[in-house]
Amino acid sequence: GAVVSQHPSRVICKSGTSVKIECRSLDFQATTMFWYRQFPKKSLMLMATSNEGSKATYEQGVEKDKFLINHASLTLSTLTVTSAHPEDSSFYICSARARDSRYEQYFGPGTRLTVT
Amino acid sequence: AQSVSQHNHHVILSEAASLELGCNYSYGGTVNLFWYVQYPGQHLQLLLKYFSGDPLVKGIKGFEAEFIKSKFSFNLRKPSVQWSDTAEYFCAVNANQAGTALIFGKGTTLSVSS
């Protein structure tokens, strides 16, 4: 149980285009989803927290107009990187917290974004 | 706000050696503590977690960790490492409040030679 999927697993896009990454909880309802960014050999940096049906809360330094997060249902959250630039190339990981779990987060496999 | 420190950036061991990875956190309230492992090219996997109760917790693959509240520490241990333990290890913390996210340490790279 508690499986989180991400799609796509890898994406290459041209500079200036937008890319959407999906995060789904497959066998549970996720009241809260989190988006992290991981640079090579670096830790996971929390980007934002989103609760189903409400606006995401962004961490300091994360541009909300650039990284659009939507959490429209209890099983789906999306991250859209708008007007992507090479410096946005990174590994994006989502995690989800179940309705009946206050503390544990289940992580997706991540999406490797490369902006050329 | 919480913060997590992992003091060992890169640890190199031979097989069968004992392992201890340090983790300290900074937060004034009650916390939940986690250790995750990320094998090369793979996603994060939960090794073990502490919410409350016995401060010595056992996880998968023979790992254990001890929560020492007075030291704000949650060190990871394994008596005898294997080559397959080569991976990145992350300590993570969240406040014992609904809706708070996990905050990660910078990670420790463990390299085990056979």
Side-chain angles (χ1 to χ4, degrees), chain B residues 2-112:
Chain B
Q2 311 102 282
S3 65
V4 182
S5 297
Q6 290 182 244
H7 310 296
N8 315 103
H9 179 63
H10 191 181
V11 173
I12 302 172
L13 295 173
S14 299
E15 273 194 319
S18 64
L19 169 72
E20 180 160 1
L21 301 182
C23 173
N24 287 89
Y25 67 92
S26 173
Y27 183 67
T30 305
V31 295
N32 305 301
L33 299 150
F34 305 78
W35 275 97
Y36 285 86
V37 62
Q38 188 174 35
Y39 297 102
Q42 296 190 26
H43 64 280
L44 284 172
Q45 295 179 37
L46 179 66
L47 272 180
L48 46 79
K49 61 191 177 188
Y50 172 80
F51 290 162
S52 63
D54 189 343
L56 182 62
V57 292
K58 295 190 184 299
I60 61 172
K61 302 177 190 278
F63 286 91
E64 66 177 33
E66 185 175 11
F67 172 48
I68 302 179
K69 188 175 181 180
S70 61
K71 295 185 178 181
F72 297 89
S73 69
F74 190 57
N75 292 355
L76 180 72
R77 299 194 292 248
K78 186 171 183 177
S80 175
V81 295
Q82 301 172 315
W83 176 81
S84 57
D85 293 324
T86 295
E88 193 79 19
Y89 292 82
F90 295 97
C91 181
V93 168
N94 67 3
N96 196 20
Q97 298 169 18
T100 57
L102 279 174
I103 303 301
F104 285 81
K106 292 187 183 301
T108 297
T109 303
L110 173 64
S111 300
V112 181

Side-chain angles (χ1 to χ4, degrees), chain A residues 32 34 36 38 41-44 46 49 51 59 91 93 97 102-110, chain B residues 32 34 36 38 43-44 46 49 51 90 94-107:
Chain A
T32 307
F34 308 89
Y36 292 83
Q38 186 179 32
K41 302 291 185 182
K42 297 281 187 182
S43 183
L44 282 76
L46 178 67
T49 301
N51 293 295
E59 295 299 300
F91 195 54
I93 304 173
R97 179 169 291 148
R102 291 181 67 190
Y103 314 121
E104 193 159 355
Q105 292 174 216
Y106 304 99
F107 285 83
Chain B
N32 305 301
F34 305 78
Y36 285 86
Q38 188 174 35
H43 64 280
L44 284 172
L46 179 66
K49 61 191 177 188
F51 290 162
F90 295 97
N94 67 3
N96 196 20
Q97 298 169 18
T100 57
L102 279 174
I103 303 301
F104 285 81
K106 292 187 183 301

Side-chain angles (χ1 to χ4, degrees), chain A:
Chain A
V3 177
V4 177
S5 70
Q6 280 184 241
H7 178 81
S9 58
R10 293 176 181 271
V11 58
I12 301 173
C13 70
K14 292 187 176 181
S15 187
T17 62
S18 295
V19 174
K20 180 184 284 188
I21 302 169
E22 290 186 350
C23 175
R24 294 182 184 272
S25 56
L26 298 185
D27 51 4
F28 66 99
Q29 292 185 326
T31 50
T32 307
M33 286 186 167
F34 308 89
W35 286 95
Y36 292 83
R37 182 173 177 176
Q38 186 179 32
F39 295 94
K41 302 291 185 182
K42 297 281 187 182
S43 183
L44 282 76
M45 182 192 79
L46 178 67
M47 298 175 67
T49 301
S50 75
N51 293 295
E52 185 261 339
S54 59
K55 289 184 178 180
T57 302
Y58 290 81
E59 295 299 300
Q60 192 172 12
V62 178
E63 299 175 61
K64 62 181 180 181
D65 294 330
K66 181 167 188 60
F67 298 100
L68 301 178
I69 292 171
N70 184 278
H71 189 171
S73 77
L74 284 171
T75 59
L76 173 65
S77 177
T78 60
L79 168 68
T80 302
V81 183
T82 62
S83 186
H85 291 285
E87 57 264 31
D88 298 324
S89 298
S90 193
F91 195 54
Y92 293 88
I93 304 173
C94 76
S95 73
R97 179 169 291 148
R99 178 188 289 275
D100 58 354
S101 171
R102 291 181 67 190
Y103 314 121
E104 193 159 355
Q105 292 174 216
Y106 304 99
F107 285 83
T111 297
R112 172 74 61 193
L113 170 64
T114 303
V115 184
T116 60

